Amino acid sequence: MAFTLMIFTLLLLCIFIMFLYHYNIRYGKYGQLIDRIPGLATVPIFGNILTLSNLTQEELWQLQITLSKNYYPIFKMWSFTIAYVVICHPDDVQVILSSSKQHLEKGLIYTLLHPWLRTGLLTSKGAKWQERRKILTPTFHFNILKQFVDILIEEGNRMTKFLNNIEGSIVKDLVLLISQHTLNAICETSMGVSLENMSEYEQQYRQAVHEMGEIFIYKFLRPWFYSDVIFALTSMGRKQAKNLKILHRFTEKIIAERKQYHELTDGRYLQNLENDAAIETDDSEMIKNKKRRLAMLDLLIAASRNNKMNDLDIREEIDTFMFEGHDTVAMTLCFAILLLAEHKDIQEIARNEVSAVMQENGGQLTMTALQKLPYLERCLKETMRLYPSVPFITRILSEDVKLQSYLIPSKTDVLVSIYNLHRNPNFWPNPHIFDPDRFLPENIHNRHPFSYVPFSAGPRNCIGQRFAMLELKAITAPLLHNFYLEPVDYLKDLRHTMHIINRVTQPIRVRFVPIKRMQTSEVI
Ligand code: HEM
């Protein structure tokens, strides 16, 4: 009896302490500052989270667009004692992203990725992030990218070959097709491993990536599942565990394959890396020999041989780059293809530019040729304005911040809504119109520098952005050269869904009509 009473008293005490904490945050100085910001009405204790967790991911996507419009340029949401402030004005975005020292830590939501990505570059903070960023930055040096370009072009050609042989010229699931090629591209370039004999694993991997995105949002909207122990007991938790096995098994296989290659070659190519010679020289032999191209994974293996990293450290970076490096590019490519298919005039100009450059190059694409495609580049930039692959990013404020009209207290989670920023009519007239000329030098000149941030900005910007631009061009150029793109599904009919990456709910169909040319030598 006395024991039961003690438990009961302890329970009451816990509830009382939690209530005091809650009251202090929600109605103390912190809560008062947050509550000056507009937003949906809240209910006691839960804030907005019950309303949000009852919505489908599609409804949630629509809601964030509506709230951004209704409360422009800022709104807030409460999830118990956690406040989220969402911004889409370039002045505010600049304050959050541009500082070299402040607000570098990612928001709370990223911790939900830890079971998968642990604390790789995307999710890490502080000294660890700084050190890793320093180690990994050279892998995107111009001379390294130059070595990758052949692989990216080859991947574009492989896709062209496949498309030439499909029945009725219609691709039934564009995302599925494209992500297969972008995954292979990141594996062959950054990992130095081909997926040729791993088709079963890679399909499972891409499916698992997709499901993890859904689980991520599901969990985010249900803070009572933030504890991994509790989440593991649910059906979604079991689904996550199954997917994690698939994801990690795949990356471990890739790491093992590359390690084996270095063991067989006595680690001699890793010595090159340690001297930084590979980065600074233009070793043509290395460029010719696929296996000997130096990949990001090699840098990590070299670091592990020097005891600077262990196996889990390597895996978390490979998990991070495999995910960030293939899914983002795949979605941009899908939207670019859809936009070009719906805008025949723009498609024709881009095709003429590609064909002229290829003619100059004897029918081949090369690094130099890819750099001579300013119109195609403008089309891709405009695609990323309308459909940024990463629609939101978040940061935790490291100190109080004065935005345009509100003081936001330290420790608040700020969400930069890249999607709504890019469609802000005050900075993008007729924001929903696809117009690549927005990116002509004379039009960029007077634009707010933080009105366009598809790769984020400041010190935590996308490390792979130059790689991504090259890949986007290397894949779209041969498609435009060899096919007329025609819409089957239209962008206006696609239903977007809340996800880590900007996705749609249904498979997308596009028609690729082969262009018959007289001179076969011209077809790459
Ligand atoms: C169209 C393609 C891409 C887009 C739109 C994109 C966008 C972004 C954005 C918005 C961020 C900031 C995320 C945040 O603050 O939470 C980011 C970070 C990152 N991206 Fe990309 N990305 C693309 C391609 C790539 C590629 C190809 C790679 C690797 C090869 C890559 C690797 C990364 C990594 C590792 C980070 C974390 C950087 C850090 O925190 O230091 N991304 N990307």
Side-chain angles (χ1 to χ4, degrees):
M1 181 70 185
F3 182 71
T4 317
L5 192 68
M6 194 175 83
I7 296 285
F8 184 69
T9 315
L10 268 177
L11 207 67
L12 272 185
L13 193 68
C14 283
I15 292 173
F16 181 68
I17 291 171
M18 275 161 66
F19 180 76
L20 272 187
Y21 176 74
H22 181 88
Y23 192 86
N24 185 34
I25 298 279
R26 287 294 306 274
Y27 305 104
K29 194 172 164 232
Y30 180 87
Q32 283 171 21
L33 281 173
I34 296 290
D35 279 337
R36 286 185 195 159
I37 302 167
L40 288 174
T42 55
V43 295
I45 312 278
F46 296 97
N48 302 108
I49 205 66
L50 288 182
T51 320
L52 299 180
S53 61
N54 277 324
L55 299 177
T56 63
Q57 297 191 344
E58 208 180 314
E59 288 165 338
L60 208 61
W61 176 265
Q62 284 310 324
L63 180 70
Q64 58 87 19
I65 295 177
T66 310
L67 295 180
S68 285
K69 262 192 209 130
N70 292 354
Y71 297 122
Y72 176 78
I74 186 166
F75 66 91
K76 61 129 192 316
M77 289 177 303
W78 280 104
S79 165
F80 294 97
T81 51
I82 307 167
Y84 294 97
V85 172
V86 185
I87 57 172
C88 62
H89 191 289
D91 284 348
D92 291 344
V93 174
Q94 180 162 15
V95 173
I96 302 302
L97 296 185
S98 65
S99 167
S100 61
K101 293 208 170 70
Q102 305 300 337
H103 327 308
L104 293 180
E105 191 179 326
K106 302 286 176 78
L108 177 82
I109 191 167
Y110 288 79
T111 56
L112 305 181
L113 290 170
H114 286 182
W116 173 16
L117 307 178
R118 293 179 83 240
T119 45
L121 195 64
L122 180 72
T123 41
S124 58
K125 59 179 179 181
K128 176 171 178 179
W129 168 73
Q130 253 168 355
E131 193 189 322
R132 290 279 170 90
R133 181 96 189 190
K134 215 167 136 194
I135 295 179
L136 292 165
T137 295
T139 52
F140 295 96
H141 188 281
F142 183 76
N143 279 340
I144 299 272
L145 291 183
K146 236 168 38 181
Q147 297 176 37
F148 290 167
V149 141
D150 289 350
I151 305 179
L152 299 177
I153 292 169
E154 239 174 78
E155 202 58 55
N157 290 342
R158 230 173 275 161
M159 196 184 320
T160 302
K161 240 185 231 157
F162 173 82
L163 289 169
N164 266 320
N165 294 323
I166 51 169
E167 218 185 293
S169 309
I170 293 181
V171 169
K172 296 199 178 77
D173 190 338
L174 190 64
V175 179
L176 198 74
L177 171 74
I178 302 272
S179 61
Q180 193 180 338
H181 289 277
T182 55
L183 183 61
N184 201 39
I186 191 75
C187 286
E188 282 215 16
T189 52
S190 296
M191 314 305 156
V193 171
S194 164
L195 298 184
E196 243 163 348
N197 301 320
M198 288 199 217
S199 75
E200 185 198 333
Y201 288 103
E202 67 95 12
Q203 272 171 30
Q204 285 178 357
Y205 172 84
R206 284 184 296 130
Q207 179 61 25
V209 167
H210 196 96
E211 287 182 12
M212 284 303 280
E214 279 167 15
I215 295 169
F216 172 75
I217 298 292
Y218 175 88
K219 207 169 161 187
F220 173 57
L221 296 174
R222 291 160 184 83
W224 44 95
F225 290 147
Y226 285 5
S227 150
D228 286 336
V229 179
I230 296 176
F231 190 55
L233 303 174
T234 67
S235 63
M236 270 300 201
R238 285 190 291 276
K239 193 170 168 185
Q240 170 171 295
K242 190 190 93 196
N243 282 319
L244 286 175
K245 245 192 209 155
I246 295 172
L247 294 167
H248 291 150
R249 187 183 54 187
F250 185 60
T251 42
E252 278 161 9
K253 210 168 156 49
I254 283 173
I255 297 166
E257 189 172 309
R258 194 65 183 171
K259 272 190 168 173
Q260 190 189 21
Y261 163 69
H262 286 301
E263 269 154 33
L264 292 175
T265 52
D266 283 335
R268 60 179 177 278
Y269 302 117
L270 293 176
Q271 282 155 21
N272 276 350
L273 265 179
E274 282 152 19
N275 301 334
D276 257 12
I279 293 161
E280 302 305 337
T281 62
D282 230 346
D283 186 339
S284 54
E285 201 204 333
M286 201 143 56
I287 294 172
K288 258 188 270 152
N289 186 334
K290 235 191 205 183
K291 269 279 184 190
R292 285 174 55 187
R293 282 191 190 103
L294 293 162
M296 183 194 97
L297 176 52
D298 299 327
L299 208 78
L300 302 178
I301 293 172
S304 80
R305 287 184 164 215
N306 294 335
N307 297 323
K308 286 185 193 152
M309 281 180 137
N310 61 30
D311 284 355
L312 276 179
D313 291 334
I314 297 182
R315 197 190 72 192
E316 69 188 11
E317 293 305 349
I318 298 307
D319 280 324
T320 300
F321 278 78
M322 293 264 289
F323 160 58
E324 269 286 325
H326 97 275
D327 220 9
T328 49
V329 181
M331 287 317 296
T332 305
L333 281 168
C334 289
F335 286 117
I337 289 167
L338 287 175
L339 283 163
L340 289 168
E342 285 189 25
H343 297 83
K344 293 272 164 45
D345 48 341
I346 295 175
Q347 186 187 140
E348 204 46 42
I349 302 173
R351 176 175 299 109
N352 289 341
E353 183 187 65
V354 171
S355 300
V357 164
M358 285 184 59
Q359 212 165 10
E360 260 176 45
N361 260 282
Q364 296 296 318
L365 277 179
T366 55
M367 178 76 153
T368 320
L370 290 180
Q371 285 169 319
K372 287 188 196 158
L373 298 171
Y375 190 76
L376 180 59
E377 191 164 316
R378 291 206 289 279
C379 292
L380 294 166
K381 285 183 174 165
E382 176 68 345
T383 301
M384 287 190 282
R385 181 187 71 80
L386 282 168
Y387 301 101
S389 305
V390 182
F392 281 98
I393 55 177
T394 94
R395 296 292 169 81
I396 291 190
L397 298 189
S398 51
E399 57 179 32
D400 291 358
V401 163
K402 176 83 183 76
L403 295 183
Q404 281 187 99
S405 31
Y406 297 98
L407 178 70
I408 319 292
S410 171
K411 305 265 183 287
T412 304
D413 232 291
V414 172
L415 275 81
V416 175
S417 170
I418 299 180
Y419 181 87
N420 292 305
L421 172 77
H422 285 183
R423 289 179 183 238
N424 185 332
N426 301 323
F427 297 87
W428 301 98
N430 298 318
H432 306 298
I433 305 289
F434 179 57
D435 177 9
D437 286 347
R438 293 180 202 268
F439 291 91
L440 277 169
E442 59 270 30
N443 294 338
I444 294 174
H445 191 59
N446 288 325
R447 194 176 297 137
H448 195 302
F450 284 77
S451 59
Y452 181 70
V453 290
F455 295 109
S456 183
R460 286 211 83 159
N461 66 356
C462 173
I463 196 171
Q465 59 183 291
R466 285 199 297 169
F467 177 98
M469 281 313 291
L470 266 185
E471 183 174 356
L472 290 171
K473 282 197 268 180
I475 291 189
T476 38
L479 289 182
L480 282 167
H481 185 68
N482 293 310
F483 301 95
Y484 295 116
L485 313 179
E486 289 185 1
V488 178
D489 292 317
Y490 285 81
L491 280 154
K492 68 175 173 38
D493 301 323
L494 298 182
R495 299 198 314 271
H496 289 256
T497 167
M498 201 65 175
H499 219 278
I500 318 174
I501 302 287
N502 189 357
R503 283 193 191 287
V504 294
T505 51
Q506 68 274 54
I508 307 170
R509 291 164 305 167
V510 179
R511 180 174 283 121
F512 291 82
V513 181
I515 298 176
K516 303 266 180 282
R517 284 202 173 77
M518 300 303 283
Q519 290 169 325
T520 45
S521 62
E522 225 191 304
V523 180
I524 54 165

